[in-house]
Amino acid sequence: MRIIYLLACLLAFVGCGESGKQADHDHGNQGKKALVIGFSQVGSESSWRTSFSESVKAEAARRGIDLKFSDAQQKQENQIKAIRSFIAQGVDAIVVAPVVETGWKPVLVEAKRAGIPVVIVDRNMALDDDSLFLTRIASDFVEEGRKAARWLMEATGGTCNIVELQGTVGATAAIDRMAGFKEVISAYPDAKIIRSQTGEFTRSKGKEVMEAFLKAEQGGKNICAVWAHNDEMALGAVLAIKEAGLNPGKDILIVSVDAVPDIFKAMADGDTNATVELSPHMGGPAFDAIEAYLSGKRDIPKLITVDGGVYTQETAAEEYAKRKK
Ligand code: AHR
């Protein structure tokens, strides 16, 4: 692999050390050459993810950045291949939205050896060496889980049988949302998660898992609420609950995360109850950090957080009008 990498560097006629790269792209010299940035995206499993990709592309275009976009189709091996290809092309920086937390160290060591800064966006990577990345732009996923649980405990007075639709196994957004939610409900003895399974952050899998939950819980009579790790799975649950002859949002409450336009429509229609917002606009802060680093700034914080509110049916119609495309 190392030999292939060195050959690729030679063929691409770029230096693979920091000094070689700076000479090639001349990014210290304002306006001379466009920055070339590789972006490895998870996939397009949810409409939130699609908005995130669109937002990063639009921000790159606005700044005159030459963005090399790679869609990993939810597979870590595709992300690792994309990162290696970005290194071989001698990009100025790499942005990665990792699908899962573990297994990144070797490829990040390769990027570091090539002198290419890496910015992590959205989900995290489990790393024991923070010199392997420049910064991470992300939301506090634990807090998102807490916010969802606080809303539900308030809405139900703390008495509720909850079914949980988890996100992708091994992804920070699933691990941390689950932990934050559990932390809050643990203070309520009459609130419990009676079933929990992954719906892989997709609408179709969310529906499929919800159908199984409904069958297993007396057609849904034993379920007070759905806690979905994203809006997409919540929308799948809505379909399953309707097909089972129940009223989502009334017979079974639904709380989720993302705040995508479709969930505001569902809330305005009374089908879901609350969502915790996750901003998809992480490209701007990622590019700011890269531009600052490449012009010599070194005191960049290792974590830059984005925050979001909790939205309910009360403001849903108004929010939908603002957010729909
Ligand atoms: O990592 C963030 C999560 O990934 C979003 O909440 C979800 O919609 C996406 O698939």
Side-chain angles (χ1 to χ4, degrees), residues 8-9 55 68 74 83 107 112 121 155 218 274 285 297 304 307 317:
C9 290
S55 169
K68 307 210 169 291
Q74 303 246 59
I83 296 168
V107 77
K112 185 178 175 185
V121 284
Q218 303 164 38
K297 199 165 181 276
I304 299 169
D307 200 12

Side-chain angles (χ1 to χ4, degrees), residues 42 44-49 52 74 98 122-123 141 144 168 171-174 177 200-202 229-232 257-258 260 278 282:
V42 167
S44 50
E45 72 283 359
S46 64
S47 56
W48 179 85
R49 183 70 56 190
F52 177 23
Q74 303 246 59
D122 185 35
R123 302 175 191 172
F141 295 122
E144 290 174 351
T168 304
T172 320
R177 284 173 186 165
E200 293 164 9
F201 281 131
T202 68
H229 290 187
N230 78 346
D231 290 344
E232 214 63 47
V257 185
D258 277 352
V260 296
L278 171 62
M282 287 182 253

Side-chain angles (χ1 to χ4, degrees), residues 112-127:
K112 185 178 175 185
R113 285 200 189 121
I116 300 175
V118 173
V119 171
I120 303 168
V121 284
D122 185 35
R123 302 175 191 172
N124 207 1
M125 293 180 180
L127 296 167

Side-chain angles (χ1 to χ4, degrees), residues 17-62:
E18 191 151 16
S19 54
K21 277 184 36 49
Q22 288 200 349
D24 185 52
H25 292 299
D26 199 16
H27 39 62
N29 216 338
Q30 296 294 328
K32 276 219 164 163
K33 268 190 177 180
L35 278 183
V36 181
I37 298 180
F39 176 33
S40 169
Q41 174 62 292
V42 167
S44 50
E45 72 283 359
S46 64
S47 56
W48 179 85
R49 183 70 56 190
T50 310
S51 299
F52 177 23
S53 296
E54 282 167 6
S55 169
V56 172
K57 286 177 188 169
E59 186 60 27
R62 200 182 67 76

